[in-house]
Amino acid sequence: MSTPQTLLNEHQHITPPSSFVGAPLTPPPTDEKAFTQAPRVIALFKDIEAGRHIKQHPWTEFQLTRREYDEIERQLRRDESLFGYVEDKIRCVCSRNDRGAS
């Protein structure tokens, strides 16, 4: 008669590390990084619009890649009210040196 432990031992198969053929499965590498600044900029615009941004200094600076700037514009265009507010009340300045950067 077999005990539960004996049955468990009979059905266990351990694969030694040397038997792996290749590297473990991982997502494919990507050169594209997730947008990190775009959500922060949009959140700041929403706080300013709602009157929750009470920072004393009137300037907030973000270092953006061209793709992040484009992402911010894309998100703003989806929110018509916020887009209008930003167009009317918020001044965005970029240097000529940064325009060509990606």
Side-chain angles (χ1 to χ4, degrees):
M1 182 173 212
S2 297
T3 65
Q5 185 63 35
T6 306
L7 290 173
L8 182 61
N9 289 338
E10 289 175 2
H11 294 291
Q12 282 185 341
H13 299 287
I14 299 174
T15 305
S18 61
S19 68
F20 286 110
V21 177
L25 296 177
T26 58
T30 177
D31 293 335
E32 311 229 351
K33 294 182 180 177
F35 298 118
T36 57
Q37 297 287 70
R40 292 179 60 210
V41 171
I42 296 295
L44 177 62
F45 289 163
K46 288 179 179 180
D47 283 349
I48 293 170
E49 181 185 32
R52 291 187 301 256
H53 182 71
I54 55 173
K55 192 174 181 181
Q56 295 295 328
H57 193 275
W59 292 96
T60 301
E61 183 176 323
F62 292 93
Q63 299 293 323
L64 303 172
T65 64
R66 181 67 198 177
R67 293 190 65 244
E68 277 208 299
Y69 183 86
D70 293 342
E71 175 63 14
I72 291 166
E73 280 190 331
R74 186 184 69 74
Q75 288 184 29
L76 283 174
R77 291 188 189 282
R78 291 190 334 200
D79 185 337
E80 192 174 315
S81 172
L82 184 60
F83 179 73
Y85 180 81
V86 170
E87 285 286 306
D88 187 44
K89 302 289 183 184
I90 300 209
R91 181 175 179 192
C92 299
V93 180
C94 64
S95 72
R96 290 188 182 269
N97 293 340
D98 293 339
R99 286 188 183 183
S102 0

